[in-house]
Amino acid sequence: MHVILRKVALSPRALARDSICGGGLLSPLPWLRRAACRSLYSETGVWQRDYRVETRRQVERRWHPRIQEQWKKNAKEEVSKQEKFYVLSMFPYPSGRLHMGHVRVYTISDTIAHFQRMRGYQVLNPMGWDAFGLPAENAAIERGLDPEEWTKSNIQSMREQLDSLGLCFNWDREITTCLADYYRWTQYLFVKLFKAGLAYQKEAVVNWDPVDQTVLADEQVDEAGRSWRSGALVEQKLLRQWFIKTTNYAKPLLDALAELPEWYGVKAMQANWIGECSGCFFQFQLKLDGEETGESLEAYTPTPEAVFGAAYVAILPSHRLLHGSSPLKAALTRSLQQGRDCLTEVTARNVFTGKEVPVVISAQVEFEGHLDTVIGIPDVSKDDASVASVLSLEWPTVIHTQEDGSQTLLNSAQFTGLSREEAFDSITQKARDMKAGGHLTSSKLRDWLISRQRYWGTPIPIIHCGSCGSVSVPEEELPVTLPKVPALTGKGASPLQSAEDWIHCTCPRCKGPAERETDTMDTFVDSSWYYFRYTDPNNQIRPFERSLADHWLPVDVYIGGKEHAVMHLYYARFLSHFCRDQGFVSHREPFRKLLVQGLIKGQTFRSADTGQYLCREEIDFSGSDPVQAGSGGGVQVSWEKMSKSKHNGLDPQEVVEQYGIDTVRLFILYAAPPEQDILWDVKTDALPGVLRWQTRLWALVTKLREAREGGVTPDPSALSKRDRDTARKIWENKNYAIQEVTGHFTEDFLLNAAIARLMGLSNTLTQASAGVVLHSVEFEEALAALCVMIAPMAPHLASELWAGLCGVRHAQCGLLCEGGDVLEQPWPTVDPEYLHTPDTLEMAVRINNKACGSVSVPRQVSQDAQQVRELVLASPLGHRLLGDRVIKKAILSPRTALINFLVEE
């Protein structure tokens, strides 16, 4: 009782202070702020018998600030000796308003974080902001605002919204990519890439968005050739651009997928994106009239072991050398004849072999995949041999076929005599050692284009010098901060070109006059390493301390949308592999498990004639089919991703105001498995179901409290045989629920199935007789375990239920006497006796959907439909009810212990 008294010794003034804690950033929902009579048990020691709407509001108003404060306190008290658990949800772009998709992903991460902390782990559940990008710049152009101020204002607003939803993040680790203390280290990593030869600039035909006036990566253009953001028809444009040579890591990234657990099909998407890494590029230096030109080429071959047999290097007619500012443009153009293979005056010296071959302009319009330059090796390709013969080119024989069919190399320097397989490995390795190519990749993968001709992004830390070329900004001079520019128009060249004082600088190498790079980085660069920064967000010396990154990485579960399954994950994995090679971290892969969540979709209505989206208020639902109000025009009804423009969006705060934080959390978790889409319809079973379940949970605590208020001391020996059997069934169901729910939280993340199992346990407890409730310790322990297990998903309700349980008279469950709030309790474990008893469960039997009893079956076969069917048919119940019936089908539930026999009437 002293524990309860300590909990209610908080004054209303303290409550008010707690509700606005956090330096003014916490802005609870209106009903969280409203004053109300103190009537909860945790406040007054008096239990409210029924769970009403006002009770729910009082519960969330009471526990919201306490749960937040307890999370902060626990985070400070956790020690590194504990086993860690890093749960990471993809950080949002600060648009200013949360949408229901945000609520879903962050509810999942919050639930997993609470669960793992209750299991005794040191938990990291951080939050930050992917704050650079086109929307802020476009908003600044449209409204005449500073994108920095607009972004910071939006962050403030969204931070308040996240807090009001009761989400517990490690806010002391908050990062914002548009702040100099973050992008300083984005630039630092770029400099490391540049020094490693992995960041380079070249002329390239790029995808140009004429609306947003910027370059798009190939993956940002949809199948219809339109921009993924603006929807504009994309144009092709030749510009000098910055690239990151991700192709050098293609094979390691592909091979590493085998080490990862299944990622809901994402591994296959990643593998398909990378392609089969069976060939490589080799470096070539170009000459004209025997003189070096300063131009270089990378040419691809699927047979690098035969590279000494090269007869020519072929480029497409669309190649940059024919259309850009190359000094070879005139010579190549002179040789060009459309539709024919054209021998040119230009030659290419293979940096690896030292051999010099002619450059040929191919008759083909395109090569395999995304290639624009290939090596012609006649010995291994009939097509290459045909081209070489037509052009009267000579080539050495480099492949010798033995009588047994095996092949070895000829005329290949020190590799002569090796088998093709041995030569493949040796030649590619030697080329890599010489930095002359040799990195295995596919013909479909291209390097990562990161240049953006926009203002609101990380400045590329490169200085262009007339004498020294492109020079990286010294690391000690980072960050290169974004200058203020007079006005943003969104048109033409990079806005940074107008900042003349900023552009003009001194070359770090020769100290002569130079100019800064005016392109900014794609925002995917910012998000490619943020998971590292969370481990050490305040480090002013380096991006992160290796010991801290090694402690927390890899991320144990990464949660986000499937739309990021290719680009973001690929770039993040690449950056992690690079950091491993640089000695920054010991882990190569950044994410252990991936939880891909589906969309929350709203119902949309479109005019059948015009396709225009209509508001719900414009629809007449009085007939069998909806029609347009007034005109009676036809309406197309569908479910689509929520959007203001489609009039099917929901304001999360309005939804929470109506139903409560815990109800929304439970609905989101229960409505569908995480990877599936949710169709938001309040008339479906899911929302009414979780509302009823909360009422039943409250009623169970009321039931126990009232049973113990009668003055009769609990006495397990007073139980009848029937009640003892019921108590045993409760004990078995409790342990089964603990086993199943724990498995769902740790293995498959089917949180909807976890809730279904807890609902099953609550149903078992609801059916208990008055004698079982009063006398059995099993009922009390099961209800306590149930309350603890719902806490990660419905923390406010569970907190008040736990307070009510801890105040039960004559408590027999030791856990209820130890004190502490529910989120401070250890996660329940299966009783050892349960693991050693005959592993059976009661299988509910239905016939034509009507409950007919149950049969005990071994747990190990409880998911085998055929074996369960046979066991039921062989049981007395089966003989009695099914012996002479014609069974059409037997359906075994995948989620509950239930089999339904469909029989002929």
Side-chain angles (χ1 to χ4, degrees):
M1 183 59 71
H2 69 280
V3 173
I4 304 302
L5 290 174
R6 176 174 55 81
K7 288 180 182 176
V8 300
L10 291 172
S11 67
R13 181 176 299 173
L15 290 176
R17 181 186 66 245
D18 288 347
S19 70
I20 57 171
C21 61
L25 288 177
L26 185 62
S27 178
L29 297 164
W31 51 267
L32 283 176
R33 294 194 300 263
R34 286 196 293 265
C37 296
R38 288 152 51 93
S39 58
L40 294 178
Y41 179 83
S42 57
E43 296 173 307
T44 65
V46 178
W47 182 259
Q48 294 186 37
R49 190 176 192 280
D50 299 317
Y51 188 68
R52 301 184 177 90
V53 172
E54 185 55 35
T55 310
R56 181 257 296 167
R57 290 179 172 174
Q58 291 172 1
V59 165
E60 294 185 356
R61 183 164 52 242
R62 161 74 176 173
W63 287 103
H64 178 275
R66 284 163 177 74
I67 291 170
Q68 299 276 321
E69 285 303 309
Q70 189 62 52
W71 177 271
K72 295 175 188 176
K73 179 183 176 184
N74 289 344
K76 292 177 182 178
E77 293 176 353
E78 286 175 336
V79 294
S80 58
K81 291 181 181 179
Q82 293 174 263
E83 191 173 349
K84 68 90 182 178
F85 194 93
Y86 187 175
V87 54
L88 178 61
S89 44
M90 294 182 183
F91 63 171
Y93 175 77
S95 61
R97 298 296 301 173
L98 291 179
H99 55 67
M100 292 303 297
H102 290 131
V103 178
R104 187 180 194 188
V105 66
Y106 302 136
T107 294
I108 293 171
S109 69
D110 187 74
T111 297
I112 293 173
H114 281 307
F115 163 74
Q116 294 294 353
R117 179 165 279 176
M118 294 172 79
R119 294 181 78 207
Y121 285 84
Q122 180 192 16
V123 175
L124 177 57
N125 182 29
M127 177 50 64
W129 312 98
D130 192 8
F132 272 136
L134 285 172
E137 188 165 343
N138 289 342
I141 293 167
E142 293 166 8
R143 304 170 195 178
L145 302 173
D146 182 335
E148 181 177 1
E149 295 306 316
W150 187 84
T151 301
K152 288 180 177 179
S153 174
N154 286 349
I155 288 172
Q156 173 78 3
S157 175
M158 291 180 71
R159 168 80 184 266
E160 292 169 358
Q161 293 171 60
L162 288 172
D163 279 340
S164 72
L165 293 172
L167 300 167
C168 294
F169 293 110
N170 296 89
W171 283 114
D172 58 325
R173 295 173 180 265
E174 181 181 14
I175 60 173
T176 304
T177 61
C178 70
L179 297 182
D181 63 359
Y182 182 89
Y183 70 72
R184 166 189 182 183
W185 302 113
T186 304
Q187 293 173 338
Y188 173 90
L189 292 171
F190 178 90
V191 169
K192 292 296 184 184
L193 288 162
F194 181 76
K195 291 180 177 178
L198 294 172
Y200 66 95
Q201 193 178 29
K202 72 171 184 180
E203 276 190 322
V205 176
V206 296
N207 303 307
W208 179 257
D209 184 328
V211 173
D212 281 336
Q213 295 279 297
T214 194
V215 171
L216 300 173
D218 291 319
E219 54 271 22
Q220 293 171 325
V221 181
D222 66 19
E223 293 178 356
R226 295 185 177 275
S227 166
W228 73 310
R229 186 178 297 280
S230 72
L233 198 61
V234 171
E235 301 170 357
Q236 299 297 299
K237 198 170 185 177
L238 194 68
L239 292 174
R240 193 161 179 79
Q241 301 286 290
W242 281 96
F243 294 82
I244 294 178
K245 192 176 280 298
T246 53
T247 51
N248 277 19
Y249 279 77
K251 189 66 163 65
L253 287 167
L254 182 66
D255 292 346
L257 290 172
E259 304 167 13
L260 299 170
E262 183 48 52
W263 278 5
Y264 298 94
V266 172
K267 282 173 61 174
M269 294 169 69
Q270 286 269 303
N272 182 63
W273 176 257
I274 295 170
E276 183 181 356
C277 297
S278 55
C280 71
F281 288 92
F282 285 97
Q283 294 278 355
F284 288 82
Q285 298 296 332
L286 301 187
K287 293 183 176 182
L288 181 61
D289 298 328
E291 299 291 330
E292 295 283 354
T293 65
E295 282 283 6
S296 62
L297 273 182
E298 284 192 331
Y300 184 84
T301 175
T303 55
E305 72 278 12
V307 68
F308 284 87
Y312 61 89
V313 168
I315 62 175
L316 291 175
S318 59
H319 197 279
R320 65 175 179 84
L321 292 178
L322 285 154
H323 300 277
S325 58
S326 169
L328 297 174
K329 180 178 178 179
L332 292 170
T333 303
R334 282 196 300 271
S335 303
L336 175 62
Q337 297 180 49
Q338 295 291 348
R340 295 183 59 182
D341 293 308
C342 306
L343 190 63
T344 74
E345 307 166 44
V346 181
T347 58
R349 183 180 64 84
N350 190 321
V351 176
F352 174 67
T353 65
K355 305 284 185 179
E356 195 168 312
V357 295
V359 172
V360 170
I361 303 173
S362 177
Q364 298 182 55
V365 177
E366 59 183 28
F367 295 140
E368 181 184 1
H370 291 305
L371 300 174
D372 64 3
T373 310
V374 297
I375 305 174
I377 307 178
D379 245 19
V380 291
S381 167
K382 291 182 180 179
D383 290 339
D384 293 354
S386 175
V387 171
S389 297
V390 168
L391 297 176
S392 302
L393 300 178
E394 296 181 355
W395 67 88
T397 299
V398 291
I399 301 296
H400 173 64
T401 302
Q402 310 283 355
E403 291 182 2
D404 61 2
S406 62
Q407 294 182 319
T408 56
L409 262 62
L410 297 173
N411 302 314
S412 299
Q414 70 265 40
F415 307 101
T416 298
L418 295 179
S419 69
R420 287 190 68 172
E421 294 76 15
E422 293 170 334
F424 183 97
D425 294 337
S426 298
I427 286 175
T428 53
Q429 181 62 56
K430 183 68 173 178
R432 291 195 293 272
D433 293 342
M434 294 174 60
K435 300 189 183 303
H439 296 274
L440 297 183
T441 186
S442 72
S443 61
K444 65 191 293 186
L445 191 65
R446 288 194 264 195
D447 285 336
W448 179 11
L449 170 61
I450 67 160
S451 281
R452 296 295 178 266
Q453 288 68 43
R454 296 302 293 257
Y455 170 74
W456 192 236
T458 298
I460 295 176
I462 292 293
I463 292 173
H464 299 288
C465 173
S467 301
C468 305
S470 297
V471 181
S472 60
V473 174
E475 294 170 11
E476 63 273 13
E477 294 182 15
L478 299 175
V480 177
T481 56
L482 270 177
K484 294 293 184 183
V485 293
L488 296 172
T489 65
K491 306 297 180 184
S494 169
L496 290 178
Q497 290 186 3
S498 65
E500 294 188 7
D501 291 343
W502 178 84
I503 290 177
H504 297 292
C505 60
T506 301
C507 173
R509 188 173 296 166
C510 71
K511 308 307 178 185
E515 293 185 355
R516 296 190 187 278
E517 173 61 54
T518 57
D519 282 358
T520 54
M521 297 187 207
D522 180 17
T523 55
F524 278 119
V525 183
D526 305 317
S527 60
S528 68
W529 73 281
Y530 77 112
Y531 50 88
F532 283 129
R533 187 64 176 174
Y534 278 137
T535 68
D536 193 12
N538 301 312
N539 197 321
Q540 298 299 310
I541 301 173
R542 52 184 62 89
F544 47 86
E545 190 66 48
R546 173 169 176 161
S547 60
L548 292 172
D550 284 348
H551 171 72
W552 286 109
L553 269 292
V555 172
D556 293 280
V557 58
Y558 192 29
I559 309 168
K562 201 165 188 175
E563 65 269 23
H564 299 298
V566 174
M567 290 187 292
H568 165 64
L569 280 176
Y570 177 71
Y571 299 145
R573 293 181 60 230
F574 159 78
L575 208 288
S576 183
H577 278 236
F578 172 73
C579 286
R580 166 67 168 76
D581 289 347
Q582 291 288 307
F584 295 164
V585 289
S586 60
H587 295 96
R588 194 171 290 279
E589 284 294 324
F591 313 119
R592 180 173 286 123
K593 287 188 177 182
L594 181 69
L595 199 168
V596 176
Q597 106 279 353
L599 302 172
I600 295 185
K601 294 183 175 181
Q603 200 169 27
T604 61
F605 305 94
R606 302 177 71 177
S607 167
D609 297 327
T610 66
Q612 179 182 359
Y613 286 98
L614 305 172
C615 299
R616 179 175 285 270
E617 291 74 20
E618 299 176 271
I619 309 299
D620 180 359
F621 295 96
S622 60
S624 57
D625 295 315
V627 296
Q628 295 182 53
S631 68
V635 173
Q636 296 174 345
V637 183
S638 62
W639 294 89
E640 299 183 40
K641 182 179 179 180
M642 288 186 175
S643 166
K644 287 182 180 179
S645 63
K646 298 174 182 176
H647 307 297
N648 69 339
L650 287 172
D651 185 331
Q653 289 191 284
E654 291 180 4
V655 176
V656 170
E657 170 105 29
Q658 182 175 358
Y659 297 106
I661 296 172
D662 285 346
T663 303
V664 172
R665 287 171 67 104
L666 288 171
F667 171 79
I668 284 173
L669 298 174
Y670 181 57
E675 72 275 11
Q676 293 183 10
D677 294 339
I678 291 177
L679 306 183
W680 185 274
D681 184 352
V682 296
K683 296 179 181 178
T684 62
D685 289 340
L687 192 58
V690 297
L691 285 167
R692 290 192 299 269
W693 186 45
Q694 292 173 84
T695 301
R696 288 201 303 271
L697 291 169
W698 191 274
L700 284 171
V701 175
T702 300
K703 188 175 182 179
L704 178 61
R705 289 185 60 84
E706 290 181 347
R708 299 291 173 83
E709 293 294 330
V712 179
T713 303
D715 180 8
S717 65
L719 291 168
S720 66
K721 182 180 184 304
R722 182 175 181 177
D723 284 347
R724 287 198 299 274
D725 289 343
T726 300
R728 177 72 182 186
K729 181 180 178 181
I730 289 173
W731 178 82
E732 290 175 348
N733 282 1
K734 177 202 74 173
N735 281 286
Y736 181 54
I738 293 171
Q739 195 172 57
E740 289 291 297
V741 172
T742 304
H744 289 312
F745 266 103
T746 56
E747 298 299 328
D748 56 21
F749 303 113
L750 293 178
L751 303 181
N752 60 316
I755 292 175
R757 173 46 46 203
L758 294 177
M759 287 179 171
L761 178 57
S762 63
N763 290 341
T764 300
L765 294 175
T766 300
Q767 296 164 11
S769 66
V772 170
V773 176
L774 174 61
H775 293 297
S776 78
V777 67
E778 291 85 356
F779 181 93
E780 195 174 307
E781 288 178 342
L783 183 53
L786 174 62
C787 188
V788 171
M789 286 190 285
I790 69 168
M793 296 177 280
H796 307 86
L797 173 62
S799 295
E800 186 66 20
L801 292 176
W802 186 256
L805 280 177
C806 288
V808 167
R809 297 182 62 187
H810 308 299
Q812 302 180 83
C813 173
L815 192 61
L816 297 180
C817 303
E818 295 179 4
D821 294 334
V822 68
L823 289 170
E824 298 176 79
Q825 305 307 312
W827 186 258
T829 56
V830 175
D831 295 323
E833 182 187 348
Y834 178 79
L835 298 174
H836 294 95
T837 54
D839 201 7
T840 62
L841 58 80
E842 289 297 306
M843 180 68 63
V845 178
R846 291 186 180 184
I847 299 176
N848 288 345
N849 297 313
K850 295 181 180 179
C852 299
S854 63
V855 173
S856 293
V857 299
R859 195 177 303 276
Q860 63 266 27
V861 302
S862 63
Q863 296 298 313
D864 187 317
Q866 184 60 35
Q867 291 197 54
V868 171
R869 171 186 170 134
E870 292 172 358
L871 287 168
V872 172
L873 292 176
S875 70
L877 181 145
H879 283 298
R880 178 164 50 87
L881 299 179
L882 295 167
D884 58 352
R885 309 288 290 273
V886 176
I887 299 171
K888 295 187 291 184
K889 192 174 185 180
I891 303 170
L892 182 67
S893 169
R895 305 203 185 284
T896 59
L898 182 149
I899 187 169
N900 185 21
F901 288 87
L902 302 180
V903 303
E904 292 185 359
E905 296 291 352

